[in-house]
Structures are given as C-alpha cells and as structure tokens.
Amino acid sequence: MFETITVGTDARGVATLMLNRPDKHNAMSAQMLEELTSAAHQLGTDDAVRVVVLTGAGKSFCAGGDLAWMKAQRDMAPVARGREARKLAEMLMALNTMPKPLIGKVQGNAFGGGVGMACVCDVAIGVAGAKLGLTETRLGLIPATIGPYVLARMGEGKARRVFMSARLFEAEEAVSLDILARAVPAEALDTAVEREIAPYLSVAPKAVARAKALARKLGPRIDDAVIDHTIGELVACWEGEEAREGIDAFFDKRPPLWG
C-alpha cells in the first residue's frame, strides 16, 4: 500500500510507523509526505492501535527535504510552491493531532523537517551521538512549516539558540533544548522506547486521546491561520535572491556567496 514508509501493529496494539528510504537517509519526498498523512489518519482511527512509534530505517532518522523535490520546487511558480509546502504542513498537523500517543524513536541524524517530526512526537528518545539541526538558512530558506511545532516544543528562548543559525548539535544538546526527552546508547534505545510505551498499555485509550487534545488546546495556538502564515513565509523566501543562490550553490556543490 505504501512505498516510502512501512506500518505495522503488534499484538499489544503498538504500531510502528517507519520512514523507509534508507538509501536517501529517509529524506521527505512529496510522496512520503502524502503517505505519512494517510498513515496518520488511518492509525488515528484504528481502535486496535494504542500507541504509535515513529522511527526511520537505516542510519538516519530523517535528513529533511528530498533533493529532487527541492530541485523541482526551484522552478515552480509561487502557487505551486505553496501547494508543496502545504503537503509538509498537513503531514505535521496529521501527526500532531493524531489521537494516539506518538513516541519518536530517533535512531539517527535528523535535519530540517526531521527535527520538526521529532517535535510533533509526544515524547522522543534519541540515540546518543546523533546529529540534529535546523539547516534551512544555509539554503536561504527558513524553518517555516515546522516552526510552530519547534517553538511549541522548545519555547522561543531555546529555539532561538538554533532556529536561525543552521548549527548542528548532538542528541545530548537536543535533550537540553527539549527536542528529545533522553539520549541513550544505541544498544539501549529499544529498551528506552519500551519504557515509554508501557504506561499507555494500562490506561484508557479514549481518555488518553481526550487528554492529548486538551494539551494541544491549552498549548501554543497552531491553527489554519498559523499554518497559512508559515506557508506564505516559506514561499516568500523561495522567491528571494538568497534562496536562488543557496539552492543553486548546493546543487553546484560550491559555497554560496555568503559562505
């Protein structure tokens, strides 16, 4: 059914949603975004599912946007770019509002949108030594559609330490930034995730869903107006000279004019 992700549920009702493009470091293509959105809706309405674990196949959790997808956007009109940005926004919203506990198993590096995916998880556990970063400004872009979730997780003060600089940081610092709850050795990752799963198997599923919805309601506002604003900001960046230079430099394998 899916080509870029896998979905499976065990006898306990623990579903594993896995990004499955290991040869591309699980970079997000338009197809992957659409499949993730569909999977989130399916898992959210499946009464057999008690908990969802989000992870990636291979060495990387998620490297951000797929290069071919980004290259295609370089030549699009603004309206088309907006449609592509909305695919990412809708995927993040679907995961964020899914009425099931979402546990992130960050088994490798996470950049750009990969950090955004970690931030929509109710709790994320990462492997020690993994590198993370909001790398968009290197390309003359901004972490726009992931921004509301990054700010909701980190708070403005902590977010500003890494939101604009594109600086890479390790999982241990990601804990201090509140992106990850814990960073553990690779051999301890499965056990750490199981510890997060276990409590949800002994509580009322509908109460969990209602409590999660209440937490979202009481937390920072992320509605259609906020999402539309982030999409508009990203489209505006794409139209600017810096994005053209940054994207061209990236594909030409040369430093951009500012670096």
Side-chain angles (χ1 to χ4, degrees), residues 26-43:
N26 296 320
M28 296 180 293
S29 63
Q31 181 181 2
M32 178 183 277
L33 296 175
E34 291 168 354
E35 291 185 355
L36 282 167
T37 302
S38 176
H41 290 312
Q42 290 180 25
L43 292 169

mmCIF file with all atom_site columns, all heavy atoms in Angstrom, residues 26-43:
data_model
loop_
_atom_site.group_PDB
_atom_site.id
_atom_site.type_symbol
_atom_site.label_atom_id
_atom_site.label_alt_id
_atom_site.label_comp_id
_atom_site.label_asym_id
_atom_site.label_entity_id
_atom_site.label_seq_id
_atom_site.pdbx_PDB_ins_code
_atom_site.Cartn_x
_atom_site.Cartn_y
_atom_site.Cartn_z
_atom_site.occupancy
_atom_site.B_iso_or_equiv
_atom_site.pdbx_formal_charge
_atom_site.auth_seq_id
_atom_site.auth_comp_id
_atom_site.auth_asym_id
_atom_site.auth_atom_id
_atom_site.pdbx_PDB_model_num
ATOM 1   N N   . ASN A 1 26 ? 16.150 8.719  4.450  1.00 0.00 ? 26 ASN A N   1
ATOM 2   C CA  . ASN A 1 26 ? 14.742 8.990  4.784  1.00 0.00 ? 26 ASN A CA  1
ATOM 3   C C   . ASN A 1 26 ? 14.346 10.440 4.528  1.00 0.00 ? 26 ASN A C   1
ATOM 4   O O   . ASN A 1 26 ? 13.489 10.999 5.236  1.00 0.00 ? 26 ASN A O   1
ATOM 5   C CB  . ASN A 1 26 ? 14.448 8.590  6.237  1.00 0.00 ? 26 ASN A CB  1
ATOM 6   C CG  . ASN A 1 26 ? 14.604 7.107  6.458  1.00 0.00 ? 26 ASN A CG  1
ATOM 7   O OD1 . ASN A 1 26 ? 14.223 6.293  5.632  1.00 0.00 ? 26 ASN A OD1 1
ATOM 8   N ND2 . ASN A 1 26 ? 15.220 6.733  7.569  1.00 0.00 ? 26 ASN A ND2 1
ATOM 9   N N   . ALA A 1 27 ? 14.956 11.032 3.504  1.00 0.00 ? 27 ALA A N   1
ATOM 10  C CA  . ALA A 1 27 ? 14.566 12.384 3.109  1.00 0.00 ? 27 ALA A CA  1
ATOM 11  C C   . ALA A 1 27 ? 13.117 12.371 2.644  1.00 0.00 ? 27 ALA A C   1
ATOM 12  O O   . ALA A 1 27 ? 12.647 11.409 2.027  1.00 0.00 ? 27 ALA A O   1
ATOM 13  C CB  . ALA A 1 27 ? 15.480 12.893 2.005  1.00 0.00 ? 27 ALA A CB  1
ATOM 14  N N   . MET A 1 28 ? 12.417 13.464 2.915  1.00 0.00 ? 28 MET A N   1
ATOM 15  C CA  . MET A 1 28 ? 10.981 13.529 2.647  1.00 0.00 ? 28 MET A CA  1
ATOM 16  C C   . MET A 1 28 ? 10.696 13.986 1.222  1.00 0.00 ? 28 MET A C   1
ATOM 17  O O   . MET A 1 28 ? 11.006 15.112 0.849  1.00 0.00 ? 28 MET A O   1
ATOM 18  C CB  . MET A 1 28 ? 10.312 14.478 3.637  1.00 0.00 ? 28 MET A CB  1
ATOM 19  C CG  . MET A 1 28 ? 10.384 14.013 5.069  1.00 0.00 ? 28 MET A CG  1
ATOM 20  S SD  . MET A 1 28 ? 9.583  15.160 6.232  1.00 0.00 ? 28 MET A SD  1
ATOM 21  C CE  . MET A 1 28 ? 10.680 16.568 6.085  1.00 0.00 ? 28 MET A CE  1
ATOM 22  N N   . SER A 1 29 ? 10.108 13.113 0.452  1.00 0.00 ? 29 SER A N   1
ATOM 23  C CA  . SER A 1 29 ? 9.601  13.455 -0.875 1.00 0.00 ? 29 SER A CA  1
ATOM 24  C C   . SER A 1 29 ? 8.135  13.821 -0.762 1.00 0.00 ? 29 SER A C   1
ATOM 25  O O   . SER A 1 29 ? 7.502  13.598 0.280  1.00 0.00 ? 29 SER A O   1
ATOM 26  C CB  . SER A 1 29 ? 9.763  12.255 -1.820 1.00 0.00 ? 29 SER A CB  1
ATOM 27  O OG  . SER A 1 29 ? 8.970  11.166 -1.355 1.00 0.00 ? 29 SER A OG  1
ATOM 28  N N   . ALA A 1 30 ? 7.575  14.346 -1.844 1.00 0.00 ? 30 ALA A N   1
ATOM 29  C CA  . ALA A 1 30 ? 6.143  14.647 -1.844 1.00 0.00 ? 30 ALA A CA  1
ATOM 30  C C   . ALA A 1 30 ? 5.332  13.384 -1.581 1.00 0.00 ? 30 ALA A C   1
ATOM 31  O O   . ALA A 1 30 ? 4.340  13.402 -0.845 1.00 0.00 ? 30 ALA A O   1
ATOM 32  C CB  . ALA A 1 30 ? 5.746  15.288 -3.171 1.00 0.00 ? 30 ALA A CB  1
ATOM 33  N N   . GLN A 1 31 ? 5.769  12.268 -2.159 1.00 0.00 ? 31 GLN A N   1
ATOM 34  C CA  . GLN A 1 31 ? 5.060  11.010 -1.953 1.00 0.00 ? 31 GLN A CA  1
ATOM 35  C C   . GLN A 1 31 ? 5.107  10.584 -0.489 1.00 0.00 ? 31 GLN A C   1
ATOM 36  O O   . GLN A 1 31 ? 4.099  10.152 0.073  1.00 0.00 ? 31 GLN A O   1
ATOM 37  C CB  . GLN A 1 31 ? 5.649  9.910  -2.833 1.00 0.00 ? 31 GLN A CB  1
ATOM 38  C CG  . GLN A 1 31 ? 4.935  8.561  -2.679 1.00 0.00 ? 31 GLN A CG  1
ATOM 39  C CD  . GLN A 1 31 ? 5.553  7.469  -3.539 1.00 0.00 ? 31 GLN A CD  1
ATOM 40  O OE1 . GLN A 1 31 ? 6.541  7.695  -4.241 1.00 0.00 ? 31 GLN A OE1 1
ATOM 41  N NE2 . GLN A 1 31 ? 4.981  6.292  -3.495 1.00 0.00 ? 31 GLN A NE2 1
ATOM 42  N N   . MET A 1 32 ? 6.272  10.712 0.132  1.00 0.00 ? 32 MET A N   1
ATOM 43  C CA  . MET A 1 32 ? 6.380  10.327 1.532  1.00 0.00 ? 32 MET A CA  1
ATOM 44  C C   . MET A 1 32 ? 5.465  11.181 2.408  1.00 0.00 ? 32 MET A C   1
ATOM 45  O O   . MET A 1 32 ? 4.806  10.673 3.322  1.00 0.00 ? 32 MET A O   1
ATOM 46  C CB  . MET A 1 32 ? 7.815  10.432 2.040  1.00 0.00 ? 32 MET A CB  1
ATOM 47  C CG  . MET A 1 32 ? 7.956  10.088 3.518  1.00 0.00 ? 32 MET A CG  1
ATOM 48  S SD  . MET A 1 32 ? 9.632  10.273 4.173  1.00 0.00 ? 32 MET A SD  1
ATOM 49  C CE  . MET A 1 32 ? 10.345 8.706  3.683  1.00 0.00 ? 32 MET A CE  1
ATOM 50  N N   . LEU A 1 33 ? 5.410  12.469 2.130  1.00 0.00 ? 33 LEU A N   1
ATOM 51  C CA  . LEU A 1 33 ? 4.548  13.351 2.917  1.00 0.00 ? 33 LEU A CA  1
ATOM 52  C C   . LEU A 1 33 ? 3.095  12.917 2.814  1.00 0.00 ? 33 LEU A C   1
ATOM 53  O O   . LEU A 1 33 ? 2.369  12.869 3.815  1.00 0.00 ? 33 LEU A O   1
ATOM 54  C CB  . LEU A 1 33 ? 4.707  14.797 2.452  1.00 0.00 ? 33 LEU A CB  1
ATOM 55  C CG  . LEU A 1 33 ? 6.090  15.416 2.641  1.00 0.00 ? 33 LEU A CG  1
ATOM 56  C CD1 . LEU A 1 33 ? 6.135  16.810 2.023  1.00 0.00 ? 33 LEU A CD1 1
ATOM 57  C CD2 . LEU A 1 33 ? 6.479  15.467 4.108  1.00 0.00 ? 33 LEU A CD2 1
ATOM 58  N N   . GLU A 1 34 ? 2.662  12.603 1.609  1.00 0.00 ? 34 GLU A N   1
ATOM 59  C CA  . GLU A 1 34 ? 1.276  12.179 1.414  1.00 0.00 ? 34 GLU A CA  1
ATOM 60  C C   . GLU A 1 34 ? 1.012  10.839 2.091  1.00 0.00 ? 34 GLU A C   1
ATOM 61  O O   . GLU A 1 34 ? -0.055 10.634 2.696  1.00 0.00 ? 34 GLU A O   1
ATOM 62  C CB  . GLU A 1 34 ? 0.982  12.105 -0.082 1.00 0.00 ? 34 GLU A CB  1
ATOM 63  C CG  . GLU A 1 34 ? 0.954  13.486 -0.745 1.00 0.00 ? 34 GLU A CG  1
ATOM 64  C CD  . GLU A 1 34 ? 0.950  13.424 -2.260 1.00 0.00 ? 34 GLU A CD  1
ATOM 65  O OE1 . GLU A 1 34 ? 1.090  12.297 -2.807 1.00 0.00 ? 34 GLU A OE1 1
ATOM 66  O OE2 . GLU A 1 34 ? 0.810  14.477 -2.902 1.00 0.00 ? 34 GLU A OE2 1
ATOM 67  N N   . GLU A 1 35 ? 1.982  9.934  2.019  1.00 0.00 ? 35 GLU A N   1
ATOM 68  C CA  . GLU A 1 35 ? 1.801  8.627  2.657  1.00 0.00 ? 35 GLU A CA  1
ATOM 69  C C   . GLU A 1 35 ? 1.798  8.746  4.175  1.00 0.00 ? 35 GLU A C   1
ATOM 70  O O   . GLU A 1 35 ? 1.019  8.062  4.858  1.00 0.00 ? 35 GLU A O   1
ATOM 71  C CB  . GLU A 1 35 ? 2.891  7.664  2.183  1.00 0.00 ? 35 GLU A CB  1
ATOM 72  C CG  . GLU A 1 35 ? 2.732  7.271  0.720  1.00 0.00 ? 35 GLU A CG  1
ATOM 73  C CD  . GLU A 1 35 ? 3.729  6.232  0.247  1.00 0.00 ? 35 GLU A CD  1
ATOM 74  O OE1 . GLU A 1 35 ? 4.632  5.862  1.025  1.00 0.00 ? 35 GLU A OE1 1
ATOM 75  O OE2 . GLU A 1 35 ? 3.592  5.770  -0.895 1.00 0.00 ? 35 GLU A OE2 1
ATOM 76  N N   . LEU A 1 36 ? 2.645  9.599  4.721  1.00 0.00 ? 36 LEU A N   1
ATOM 77  C CA  . LEU A 1 36 ? 2.647  9.811  6.171  1.00 0.00 ? 36 LEU A CA  1
ATOM 78  C C   . LEU A 1 36 ? 1.322  10.407 6.649  1.00 0.00 ? 36 LEU A C   1
ATOM 79  O O   . LEU A 1 36 ? 0.790  10.017 7.693  1.00 0.00 ? 36 LEU A O   1
ATOM 80  C CB  . LEU A 1 36 ? 3.803  10.723 6.570  1.00 0.00 ? 36 LEU A CB  1
ATOM 81  C CG  . LEU A 1 36 ? 5.189  10.072 6.619  1.00 0.00 ? 36 LEU A CG  1
ATOM 82  C CD1 . LEU A 1 36 ? 6.266  11.143 6.719  1.00 0.00 ? 36 LEU A CD1 1
ATOM 83  C CD2 . LEU A 1 36 ? 5.294  9.096  7.781  1.00 0.00 ? 36 LEU A CD2 1
ATOM 84  N N   . THR A 1 37 ? 0.791  11.344 5.884  1.00 0.00 ? 37 THR A N   1
ATOM 85  C CA  . THR A 1 37 ? -0.502 11.941 6.239  1.00 0.00 ? 37 THR A CA  1
ATOM 86  C C   . THR A 1 37 ? -1.596 10.882 6.251  1.00 0.00 ? 37 THR A C   1
ATOM 87  O O   . THR A 1 37 ? -2.405 10.803 7.181  1.00 0.00 ? 37 THR A O   1
ATOM 88  C CB  . THR A 1 37 ? -0.850 13.066 5.258  1.00 0.00 ? 37 THR A CB  1
ATOM 89  O OG1 . THR A 1 37 ? 0.183  14.052 5.280  1.00 0.00 ? 37 THR A OG1 1
ATOM 90  C CG2 . THR A 1 37 ? -2.172 13.720 5.616  1.00 0.00 ? 37 THR A CG2 1
ATOM 91  N N   . SER A 1 38 ? -1.611 10.049 5.216  1.00 0.00 ? 38 SER A N   1
ATOM 92  C CA  . SER A 1 38 ? -2.612 8.990  5.133  1.00 0.00 ? 38 SER A CA  1
ATOM 93  C C   . SER A 1 38 ? -2.454 8.000  6.278  1.00 0.00 ? 38 SER A C   1
ATOM 94  O O   . SER A 1 38 ? -3.445 7.601  6.920  1.00 0.00 ? 38 SER A O   1
ATOM 95  C CB  . SER A 1 38 ? -2.474 8.262  3.792  1.00 0.00 ? 38 SER A CB  1
ATOM 96  O OG  . SER A 1 38 ? -3.375 7.173  3.708  1.00 0.00 ? 38 SER A OG  1
ATOM 97  N N   . ALA A 1 39 ? -1.214 7.611  6.581  1.00 0.00 ? 39 ALA A N   1
ATOM 98  C CA  . ALA A 1 39 ? -0.969 6.653  7.656  1.00 0.00 ? 39 ALA A CA  1
ATOM 99  C C   . ALA A 1 39 ? -1.395 7.220  9.005  1.00 0.00 ? 39 ALA A C   1
ATOM 100 O O   . ALA A 1 39 ? -1.960 6.507  9.840  1.00 0.00 ? 39 ALA A O   1
ATOM 101 C CB  . ALA A 1 39 ? 0.506  6.263  7.677  1.00 0.00 ? 39 ALA A CB  1
ATOM 102 N N   . ALA A 1 40 ? -1.129 8.502  9.234  1.00 0.00 ? 40 ALA A N   1
ATOM 103 C CA  . ALA A 1 40 ? -1.516 9.131  10.498 1.00 0.00 ? 40 ALA A CA  1
ATOM 104 C C   . ALA A 1 40 ? -3.024 9.088  10.676 1.00 0.00 ? 40 ALA A C   1
ATOM 105 O O   . ALA A 1 40 ? -3.528 8.798  11.778 1.00 0.00 ? 40 ALA A O   1
ATOM 106 C CB  . ALA A 1 40 ? -1.011 10.568 10.555 1.00 0.00 ? 40 ALA A CB  1
ATOM 107 N N   . HIS A 1 41 ? -3.767 9.364  9.609  1.00 0.00 ? 41 HIS A N   1
ATOM 108 C CA  . HIS A 1 41 ? -5.230 9.309  9.703  1.00 0.00 ? 41 HIS A CA  1
ATOM 109 C C   . HIS A 1 41 ? -5.718 7.877  9.951  1.00 0.00 ? 41 HIS A C   1
ATOM 110 O O   . HIS A 1 41 ? -6.631 7.652  10.748 1.00 0.00 ? 41 HIS A O   1
ATOM 111 C CB  . HIS A 1 41 ? -5.852 9.865  8.431  1.00 0.00 ? 41 HIS A CB  1
ATOM 112 C CG  . HIS A 1 41 ? -5.679 11.353 8.269  1.00 0.00 ? 41 HIS A CG  1
ATOM 113 N ND1 . HIS A 1 41 ? -5.940 12.249 9.283  1.00 0.00 ? 41 HIS A ND1 1
ATOM 114 C CD2 . HIS A 1 41 ? -5.263 12.108 7.206  1.00 0.00 ? 41 HIS A CD2 1
ATOM 115 C CE1 . HIS A 1 41 ? -5.706 13.479 8.867  1.00 0.00 ? 41 HIS A CE1 1
ATOM 116 N NE2 . HIS A 1 41 ? -5.282 13.418 7.618  1.00 0.00 ? 41 HIS A NE2 1
ATOM 117 N N   . GLN A 1 42 ? -5.091 6.921  9.274  1.00 0.00 ? 42 GLN A N   1
ATOM 118 C CA  . GLN A 1 42 ? -5.502 5.520  9.444  1.00 0.00 ? 42 GLN A CA  1
ATOM 119 C C   . GLN A 1 42 ? -5.227 5.035  10.864 1.00 0.00 ? 42 GLN A C   1
ATOM 120 O O   . GLN A 1 42 ? -6.090 4.417  11.505 1.00 0.00 ? 42 GLN A O   1
ATOM 121 C CB  . GLN A 1 42 ? -4.766 4.641  8.437  1.00 0.00 ? 42 GLN A CB  1
ATOM 122 C CG  . GLN A 1 42 ? -5.212 4.840  6.998  1.00 0.00 ? 42 GLN A CG  1
ATOM 123 C CD  . GLN A 1 42 ? -4.456 3.951  6.030  1.00 0.00 ? 42 GLN A CD  1
ATOM 124 O OE1 . GLN A 1 42 ? -3.957 2.898  6.392  1.00 0.00 ? 42 GLN A OE1 1
ATOM 125 N NE2 . GLN A 1 42 ? -4.345 4.389  4.782  1.00 0.00 ? 42 GLN A NE2 1
ATOM 126 N N   . LEU A 1 43 ? -4.039 5.312  11.369 1.00 0.00 ? 43 LEU A N   1
ATOM 127 C CA  . LEU A 1 43 ? -3.685 4.870  12.713 1.00 0.00 ? 43 LEU A CA  1
ATOM 128 C C   . LEU A 1 43 ? -4.541 5.574  13.765 1.00 0.00 ? 43 LEU A C   1
ATOM 129 O O   . LEU A 1 43 ? -4.911 4.976  14.776 1.00 0.00 ? 43 LEU A O   1
ATOM 130 C CB  . LEU A 1 43 ? -2.204 5.141  12.971 1.00 0.00 ? 43 LEU A CB  1
ATOM 131 C CG  . LEU A 1 43 ? -1.224 4.288  12.156 1.00 0.00 ? 43 LEU A CG  1
ATOM 132 C CD1 . LEU A 1 43 ? 0.198  4.837  12.289 1.00 0.00 ? 43 LEU A CD1 1
ATOM 133 C CD2 . LEU A 1 43 ? -1.274 2.827  12.591 1.00 0.00 ? 43 LEU A CD2 1
#
